[in-house]
Amino acid sequence: MNKERLLQRFLQYVTCASETYQEREFCIMMEEELTSLGLHWERQEIGEMFGSNGWNLHAILPGTGAPLLLCAHMDTVAPGYGISPILRDGVIYSDGTTILGSDDKAGIAAAMEAVQTIVEKGLPHRPIEFLLTICEENGILGSKYADYSKIISKEAIVLDNEDVGHLVNQAAAYMKIHFSIQGKRAHAGVSPEKGIHALKAVAECISGIECGRVSEISVVNVANLLCPGQTNIVPEKADFDVEVRSYEEEELQSIVQNICGHVEKVCQAWGAKFCKTENRVSNAFCIPVTAPIIEKTCEAMRSIGITPVIEQTLGGSDITWLVENGLAAINIGVGMQEVHGCKEHILFEDMISTTEVLLRVLTT
């Protein structure tokens, strides 16, 4: 590989803003790179479905043997405009006013550098597919709505985990629930007794929902409480969101049912009504540790002195929908640290290691 080119590629990527729903400019940049490497690529125009100006990219580099899909997402969280990367003592930071964008552009940079090295040196390699997705950071939408009829690979590596050497083969089921509580409007000074206080009802709902790590295999969170209005009016409507994640479907459903039952009971006591919308973000899955893609990737890691760590995660990523659509997929670490915040950083040596691992998996 060309280490200086890898560094410059990453710096170029992160300075091209691509916050979720605003990925267009970076999509075009990646099309130009794929073309320069001689890969055939196609757009998957799915952005309009959920308000993005970008699109998924699917690309193929022909080779010999069993094909392998490399997957990474092109969008970033905010604040992702005006990123000014700084290299200090082998670590790349933002200037502290924005994220860095190593999530997930470090993964893309490593994958592109590995493929460019293969092309330049004429190395024998297996067929290589790319699926570069949009809107991963807000619901894993790009991979959820990808066109899998075009995918030829049966195995995949997602490049969207943190610590190098860590390999995710199991993830949790993940559900979001939006609650809308309907009370009754009344003048708060003249006739408060005629109102039904939606905000107070919601406060009681939320106070009765256990949050955090509710068991060894499940977590719950409450967010996005919304109740706009004036102080002289009894609030008639309030909304909030709940998310539940669990490694076991049965436990997830039990938690969801208990939460919904609690909300119903509270609303009945207040004389309020409620409606809910459930959104299944992802299903639970587990790829066996004996799967060839795991064994081969672990072998590649060991060959450059990295001890593999196989782990499960309660977090979400594109791997969920790859597995859901029949691929034996794993998610490997690329070195990103303190992601989703302005202290995000990455050790450049970790990007080099990630590229080396990919080269060994793709060419052996």
Side-chain angles (χ1 to χ4, degrees):
M1 83 178 76
N2 184 322
K3 295 179 182 179
E4 179 60 28
R5 183 176 62 201
L6 172 61
L7 175 61
Q8 294 306 317
R9 170 175 269 130
F10 175 70
L11 297 179
Q12 180 185 23
Y13 286 177
V14 298
T15 54
C16 180
S18 58
E19 288 184 4
T20 304
Y21 304 122
Q22 300 295 322
E23 303 99 340
R24 179 182 177 83
E25 184 177 350
F26 189 67
C27 290
I28 292 172
M29 176 182 288
M30 294 312 303
E31 288 177 345
E32 293 172 350
E33 282 225 42
L34 292 167
T35 298
S36 70
L37 294 178
L39 275 71
H40 172 73
W41 55 265
E42 292 182 352
R43 292 181 179 182
Q44 295 187 351
E45 300 271 14
I46 60 172
E48 291 185 1
M49 296 174 61
F50 34 81
S52 169
N53 65 6
W55 49 84
N56 285 353
L57 283 170
H58 175 232
I60 298 177
L61 180 67
T64 303
L68 178 67
L69 178 74
L70 302 179
C71 179
H73 65 86
M74 296 183 284
D75 63 313
T76 74
V77 298
Y81 283 90
I83 294 174
S84 181
I86 298 170
L87 177 62
R88 184 170 64 246
D89 298 326
V91 181
I92 308 169
Y93 305 84
S94 74
D95 64 4
T97 64
T98 67
I99 60 161
L100 175 62
S102 59
D103 178 13
D104 192 21
K105 291 176 181 176
I108 300 175
M112 293 298 291
E113 179 60 34
V115 169
Q116 186 162 358
T117 300
I118 288 169
V119 170
E120 285 183 344
K121 295 186 176 182
L123 300 175
H125 62 88
R126 59 199 298 181
I128 303 168
E129 275 190 284
F130 278 98
L131 181 62
L132 303 178
T133 63
I134 57 173
C135 295
E136 188 273 348
E137 296 288 8
N138 192 15
I140 326 177
L141 299 174
S143 57
K144 181 176 182 177
Y145 295 103
D147 183 357
Y148 289 93
S149 69
K150 301 294 182 68
I151 302 294
I152 62 172
S153 299
K154 300 301 181 184
E155 298 178 323
I157 293 179
V158 178
L159 296 137
D160 191 21
N161 199 14
E162 295 187 358
D163 296 331
V164 168
H166 286 231
L167 183 158
V168 171
N169 74 318
Q170 182 178 0
Y174 176 14
M175 182 175 287
K176 292 182 178 180
I177 315 165
H178 177 78
F179 289 99
S180 183
I181 310 301
Q182 185 68 48
K184 183 178 179 182
R185 180 187 179 99
H187 195 294
V190 176
S191 54
E193 64 280 354
K194 294 182 178 180
I196 298 175
H197 207 296
L199 181 55
K200 291 280 287 182
V202 164
E204 189 173 328
C205 289
I206 292 174
S207 68
I209 297 174
E210 183 182 3
C211 291
R213 200 171 298 279
V214 298
S215 77
E216 291 184 357
I217 63 170
S218 303
V219 294
V220 175
N221 193 42
V222 176
N224 302 325
L225 173 60
L226 181 63
C227 185
Q230 299 173 216
T231 58
N232 64 346
I233 300 174
V234 174
E236 65 176 339
K237 187 174 183 294
D239 297 74
F240 69 101
D241 293 320
V242 180
E243 70 165 40
V244 182
R245 305 180 192 227
S246 180
Y247 291 119
E248 293 186 2
E249 181 67 25
E250 184 177 351
E251 181 159 312
L252 179 132
Q253 292 298 335
S254 176
I255 293 170
V256 169
Q257 288 174 13
N258 288 339
I259 290 172
C260 292
H262 165 69
V263 171
E264 183 177 14
K265 183 178 179 180
V266 171
C267 288
Q268 286 176 348
W270 278 89
K273 298 179 181 180
F274 82 97
C275 61
K276 63 182 175 68
T277 304
E278 296 182 0
N279 174 26
R280 168 66 71 147
V281 179
S282 61
N283 296 328
F285 71 85
C286 181
I287 302 298
V289 295
T290 55
I293 185 61
I294 292 180
E295 293 182 342
K296 193 169 190 63
T297 304
C298 288
E299 179 185 347
M301 290 176 175
R302 294 188 190 99
S303 72
I304 61 171
I306 296 174
T307 301
V309 177
I310 300 175
E311 61 187 9
Q312 58 186 15
T313 182
L314 286 161
S317 75
D318 286 327
I319 186 176
T320 295
W321 293 106
L322 299 184
V323 174
E324 188 75 12
N325 283 276
L327 282 82
I330 56 174
N331 187 4
I332 67 171
V334 299
M336 58 182 84
Q337 300 294 325
E338 297 193 63
V339 298
H340 294 190
C342 295
K343 293 184 179 180
E344 181 186 356
H345 60 277
I346 187 167
L347 181 67
F348 180 53
E349 192 64 35
D350 283 347
M351 268 198 286
I352 294 173
S353 297
T354 302
T355 307
E356 290 283 5
V357 168
L358 290 178
L359 281 168
R360 281 162 171 73
V361 172
L362 293 170
T363 61
T364 57

